[in-house]
């Protein structure tokens, strides 16, 4: 398998985490999005969306013919990985819990990502002199406000978002949690249950994927 990714991209990291959790070997091809490589003709032929990540796998077709499979979008790649490589599973079996896992992943991608995007842009793409400290403070607080939703889930003492087992919901939150912490959202002070859960995520080998 080849993963087309960019080290700092949270969506790419979400897939690297799942590949590692599933003990899958893969090669990395870095697409430098800061240089616009995602819009090269060669890459667009693989992923017409012009974004990272994308995954290339080799799997025979249903009639047994060798075949290259290209999948893009982190959520869809992770669902493909679950379907193609079900062990160990990262989606629960129970349909209601599966729906919850998907809802949490979707929330991480579409809601939590918003203040994290601001923190990332301010801290990584903006020179220290031009940084907007009011914007940074607001984004940190917004991240905390959003993460209260996870604190409610974790309030009953469960180790992971869906209960006893690590799942795609935990994997999907990890990149944003890592950036929230790195860029100063006061999680350990204000949301101790979230901080404890985050420590659990950090202790898994996939955290460094
Ligand atoms: N829904 C897509 C979003 C992918 C995405 O936005 N990737 C960003 C990096 S995290 C990217 O490639 N940005 C470059 C661009 O939009 O030109 C996914 O989950 O994979």
């Amino acid at each position: 398998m080849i993963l087309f990714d960019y080290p700092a991209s949270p969506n790419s990291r979400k897939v690297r985490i799942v590949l590692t959790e599933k003990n899958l070997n893969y090669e990395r091809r870095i697409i430098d999005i800061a240089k616009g490589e995602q819009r090269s003709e060669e890459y667009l032929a693989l992923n017409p969306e012009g974004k990272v990540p994308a995954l290339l796998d080799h799997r025979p077709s249903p009639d047994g013919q060798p075949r290259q499979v290209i999948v893009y979008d982190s959520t869809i790649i992770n669902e493909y990985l679950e379907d193609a490589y079900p062990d160990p599973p990262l989606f629960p079996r129970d349909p209601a819990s599966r729906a919850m896992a998907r809802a949490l992943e979707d929330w991480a991608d579409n809601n939590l990502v918003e203040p994290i995007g601001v923190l990332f842009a301010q801290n990584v793409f903006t020179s220290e002199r031009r940084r907007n400290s009011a914007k940074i403070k607001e984004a940190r607080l917004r991240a905390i406000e959003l993460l209260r939703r996870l604190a409610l889930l974790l309030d009953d003492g469960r180790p992971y978002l869906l209960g006893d087992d690590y799942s795609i919901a935990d994997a999907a939150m990890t990149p944003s949690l890592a950036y929230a912490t790195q860029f100063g959202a006061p999680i350990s002070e204000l949301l101790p249950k979230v901080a404890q859960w985050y420590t659990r995520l950090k202790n898994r080998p996939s955290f460094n994927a």
Side-chain angles (χ1 to χ4, degrees):
M1 267 187 276
I2 300 176
L3 180 69
F4 296 85
D5 80 337
Y6 183 67
S9 145
N11 291 304
S12 301
R13 187 172 184 188
K14 199 173 109 184
V15 173
R16 294 198 303 270
I17 289 170
V18 166
L19 285 162
T20 309
E21 287 287 342
K22 287 186 170 287
N23 305 308
L24 294 167
N25 291 323
Y26 64 100
E27 272 175 38
R28 277 175 86 177
R29 295 278 158 79
I30 304 300
I31 302 297
D32 191 340
I33 60 175
K35 290 190 184 147
E37 286 177 5
Q38 72 278 24
R39 291 187 291 275
S40 71
E41 218 172 287
E42 198 189 359
Y43 186 68
L44 286 172
L46 280 175
N47 179 357
E49 308 268 332
K51 291 183 188 297
V52 289
L55 182 81
L56 188 150
D57 193 11
H58 294 88
R59 277 189 85 77
S61 62
D63 58 4
Q65 299 304 310
R67 184 182 50 169
Q68 273 197 352
V69 180
I70 293 160
V71 193
Y72 45 83
D73 186 284
S74 60
T75 301
I76 294 171
I77 296 172
N78 284 345
E79 297 215 355
Y80 167 80
L81 291 171
E82 182 75 6
D83 291 341
Y85 305 97
D87 284 321
L90 290 180
F91 281 76
R93 282 191 160 191
D94 163 49
S97 304
R98 285 174 91 83
M100 183 63 171
R102 291 196 169 103
L104 287 169
E105 179 170 10
D106 190 68
W107 179 82
D109 287 353
N110 294 308
N111 294 52
L112 187 56
V113 77
E114 176 230 310
I116 305 301
V118 174
L119 292 175
F120 187 81
Q122 285 290 323
N123 286 282
V124 178
F125 290 137
T126 311
S127 65
E128 217 167 308
R129 198 168 50 83
R130 303 190 62 172
R131 253 171 231 162
N132 182 330
S133 54
K135 238 181 170 177
I136 294 178
K137 192 173 166 200
E138 189 186 294
R140 284 179 183 147
L141 292 177
R142 176 81 185 125
I144 292 291
E145 198 183 306
L146 288 168
L147 288 168
R148 282 192 203 288
R149 175 173 172 175
L150 303 189
L152 291 177
L153 277 179
L154 296 161
D155 232 11
D156 63 4
R158 62 179 72 181
Y160 294 110
L161 291 178
L162 294 182
D164 286 336
D165 297 323
Y166 178 88
S167 78
I168 191 72
D170 304 289
M173 300 287 171
T174 304
S176 287
L177 256 291
Y179 278 138
T181 312
Q182 182 181 342
F183 299 133
I187 296 175
S188 45
E189 292 87 327
L190 299 179
L191 302 172
K193 287 273 161 52
V194 174
Q196 285 159 19
W197 161 73
Y198 181 56
T199 301
R200 253 171 244 127
L201 302 182
K202 279 205 290 197
N203 287 337
R204 299 180 75 90
S206 63
F207 186 82
N208 296 315

